[in-house]
């Protein structure tokens, strides 16, 4: 049996690969030190203050030096962020204002956006992050893994994978302001010829969210020949998009139908140490705290074999043996975390309910890779896989010099 073709080749499966349909992709961020990310902004500010007030020898240890970053490493400012560019050991400056990010799948956290603290920050992503941008994040593939192949966010994602090899981050647009869709040249024209002029970059994204599936060659996306199936998939994809954006871009916050929603039945204690689930009562227990009803689909929702609710909880409770700046967390469970948990339960429950409809899209006539080649959509030109030039201003480089980009 022949080995499957490599992702991005346009060969192998009859369905094209996401790597060809959205050809510009970026690897996940590599922070180099976990303490620059936290579930609340106050912890990040406290960590910064502890770092900059520490004596030089202690600061080095708290920082967690790597080959890419030490307290003596200057770095260019991240696009759109006003932070220091001189050596942290010499002129740390004020604490950078934490920014909201998506830390792995479905976990909204906070990041210190200081390039001196981050090994590989992927500035090309920061340059195109604006109020029109959406980011598709591939989830790491593991054997017998369940759950969606992709997620989408309006926040800057770090692409962290809870298990398996991390996927890539694919912006919907190559330039700020929602211009130049990150789609294979000619793809929109081909789909409009099949399904009408209403096809947009956003509707292609919706179809991808609804239909993408994992294959040994990579994430594959079947493109239907019939407009009825296309329209049903786009409608479903817009629903998935609305749920995952959590009210961003003018959409409504995710809610379970029929007024059924999770409530706090017993207050979460100041320091919950355990998370468990009672399937019979549909109750999530956080120590002595109780939340219900929690649908089984939300509790069992996994990415890369990892339960999302357990991962979310574990990141907000101090693990035994954790030391240094990473251990700086709220001493008492914040009310905001409970609100975020209720929303996450709702989001996961809704996504679980939609999985059967997603699986129904897999069957049917497709526009295969041979037709895409005949139409000139494949192979994708190398220029479409590189970032677009988006600089409309000068960016500050290390030690205050202008960045050479």
């Amino acid at each position: 049996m022949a080995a499957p073709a490599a992702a991005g080749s346009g060969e192998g499966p009859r369905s094209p690969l996401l790597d060809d349909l959205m050809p510009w992709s970026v690897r996940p961020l590599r922070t180099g030190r976990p303490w620059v990310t936290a579930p609340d902004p106050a912890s990040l500010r406290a960590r910064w203050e502890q770092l900059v007030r520490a004596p030089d020898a202690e600061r080095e240890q708290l920082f967690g030096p790597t080959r890419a970053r030490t307290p003596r490493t200057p770095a260019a400012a991240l696009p759109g962020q006003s932070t220091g560019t001189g050596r942290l050991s010499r002129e740390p400056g004020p604490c950078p204002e934490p920014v909201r990010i998506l830390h792995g799948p479905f976990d909204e956290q906070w990041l210190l956006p200081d390039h001196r603290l981050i090994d590989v920050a992927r500035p090309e992503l920061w340059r195109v992050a604006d109020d029109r941008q959406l980011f598709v994040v591939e989830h790491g593939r593991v054997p017998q893994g369940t759950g969606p192949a992709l997620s989408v966010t309006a926040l800057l994602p770090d692409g962290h994978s809870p298990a398996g090899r991390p996927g890539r981050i694919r912006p919907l647009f190559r330039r700020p302001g929602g211009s130049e869709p990150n789609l294979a040249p000619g793809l929109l024209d081909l789909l409009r010829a099949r399904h009408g002029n209403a096809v947009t970059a956003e509707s292609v994204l919706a179809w991808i969210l609804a239909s993408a599936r994992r294959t040994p060659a990579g994430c594959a996306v079947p493109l239907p020949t019939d407009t009825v199936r296309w329209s049903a998939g786009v409608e479903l994809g817009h629903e998935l998009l609305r749920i995952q954006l959590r009210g961003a871009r003018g959409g409504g916050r995710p809610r379970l139908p029929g007024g059924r929603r999770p409530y706090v039945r017993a207050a979460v204690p100041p320091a919950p140490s355990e998370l468990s689930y009672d399937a019979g009562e549909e109750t999530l227990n956080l120590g002595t705290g109780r939340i219900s009803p929690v649908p089984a689909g939300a509790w069992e929702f996994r990415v890369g074999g990892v339960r999302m609710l357990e991962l979310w909880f574990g990141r907000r409770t101090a693990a035994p043996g954790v030391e240094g700046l990473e251990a700086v967390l709220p001493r008492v469970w914040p009310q905001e975390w409970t609100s975020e948990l209720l929303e996450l339960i709702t989001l996961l429950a809704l996504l679980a309910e939609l999985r059967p409809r997603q699986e129904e899209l897999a069957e049917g006539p497709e526009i295969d890779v041979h037709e895409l080649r005949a139409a000139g959509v494949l192979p994708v030109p190398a220029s479409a896989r590189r970032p677009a030039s988006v600089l409309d201003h000068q960016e500050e480089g290390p030690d205050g010099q202008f960045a050479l980009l």
Side-chain angles (χ1 to χ4, degrees):
M1 180 182 295
S9 68
E11 300 287 354
R14 63 171 181 163
S15 301
L17 300 178
L18 180 63
D19 198 51
D20 286 327
L21 300 185
M22 298 184 74
W24 176 41
S25 65
V26 180
R27 292 183 184 276
L29 279 63
R30 192 170 73 244
T31 60
R33 46 205 53 81
W35 63 263
V36 300
T37 303
D40 68 300
S43 292
L44 290 177
R45 296 187 183 100
R47 293 173 185 181
W48 173 271
E49 289 301 318
Q50 185 173 334
L51 176 72
V52 299
R53 293 177 183 275
D56 290 345
E58 184 182 347
R59 181 186 297 177
E60 181 94 6
Q61 182 178 4
L62 287 172
F63 183 88
T66 59
R67 288 197 300 175
R69 292 287 186 270
T70 76
R72 296 171 299 282
T73 306
L78 287 170
Q81 303 297 318
S82 299
T83 58
T85 59
R87 291 163 175 80
L88 191 73
S89 57
R90 187 179 66 199
E91 45 180 327
C95 178
E97 186 62 28
V99 297
R100 194 72 155 157
I101 66 165
L102 189 71
H103 180 47
F106 310 115
D107 189 355
E108 294 188 355
Q109 293 208 18
W110 298 84
L111 171 73
L112 287 173
D114 192 319
H115 210 172
R116 299 171 299 176
L117 309 179
I118 304 172
D119 280 10
V120 184
R122 313 297 179 194
E124 59 270 39
L125 289 178
W126 295 77
R127 290 192 187 102
V128 299
D130 62 12
D131 59 3
R132 295 288 306 278
Q133 187 65 268
L134 296 171
F135 296 97
V136 174
V137 184
E138 293 179 64
H139 301 157
R141 182 176 182 270
V142 297
Q144 289 82 47
T146 59
L150 308 170
S151 58
V152 66
T153 178
L155 301 174
L156 184 88
D158 63 9
H160 180 80
S161 176
R165 183 179 179 181
R168 299 180 73 95
I169 302 167
R170 300 181 190 273
L172 178 58
F173 298 105
R174 292 168 51 81
R175 300 178 187 274
S179 63
E180 192 175 337
N182 178 26
L183 298 174
L187 178 62
L188 275 177
D189 291 337
L190 176 68
L191 292 175
R192 284 168 180 161
R194 284 276 186 174
H195 306 304
N197 290 331
V199 175
T200 64
E202 288 82 359
S203 58
V204 175
L205 171 63
W207 172 264
I208 288 172
L209 281 177
S211 66
R213 63 178 186 270
R214 297 183 183 88
T215 73
C219 186
V221 181
L223 296 176
T225 58
D226 60 290
T227 301
V228 172
R229 182 170 160 228
W230 166 264
S231 298
V234 169
E235 180 182 359
L236 174 58
H238 279 302
E239 193 170 351
L240 293 166
L241 181 62
R242 179 188 60 80
I243 293 168
Q244 295 185 50
L245 293 189
R246 310 186 193 196
R249 309 296 160 81
R253 310 294 293 192
R255 293 183 181 277
L256 289 167
R260 189 169 183 264
R261 55 185 295 187
Y263 285 95
V264 177
R265 309 297 180 176
V268 178
S273 59
E274 293 181 338
L275 183 75
S276 62
Y277 181 67
D278 185 326
E281 298 291 333
E282 288 195 323
T283 299
L284 188 68
N285 303 301
L286 295 83
T288 57
R290 294 190 298 113
I291 296 175
S292 70
V294 176
W299 171 250
E300 291 296 340
F301 198 99
R302 303 169 190 250
V303 175
V306 178
R307 279 197 182 101
M308 291 294 96
L309 288 178
E310 288 184 322
L311 181 64
W312 184 94
F313 178 79
R315 287 171 172 167
R316 285 157 178 79
T317 52
V322 173
E323 299 178 346
L325 297 178
E326 190 181 358
V328 177
L329 287 168
R331 295 182 178 179
V332 176
W333 182 273
Q335 176 61 40
E336 292 80 7
W337 288 2
T338 302
S339 299
E340 292 174 14
L341 177 57
L342 293 174
E343 182 173 82
L344 180 61
I345 291 168
T346 301
L347 181 152
L348 297 179
L350 289 170
L351 294 182
E353 289 179 0
L354 293 177
R355 287 295 291 170
R357 287 174 58 189
Q358 290 182 257
E359 293 168 0
E360 291 172 3
L361 295 174
E363 300 300 326
E366 294 184 25
I367 304 172
D368 61 20
V369 293
H370 302 292
E371 186 171 346
L372 292 172
R373 283 187 174 277
V377 176
L378 299 181
V380 177
S383 59
R385 300 190 183 280
R386 296 191 294 265
S389 175
V390 300
L391 293 183
D392 56 5
H393 63 280
Q394 290 178 306
E395 294 180 7
E396 188 176 345
D399 282 329
Q401 302 177 15
F402 285 124
L404 299 176
L405 299 166

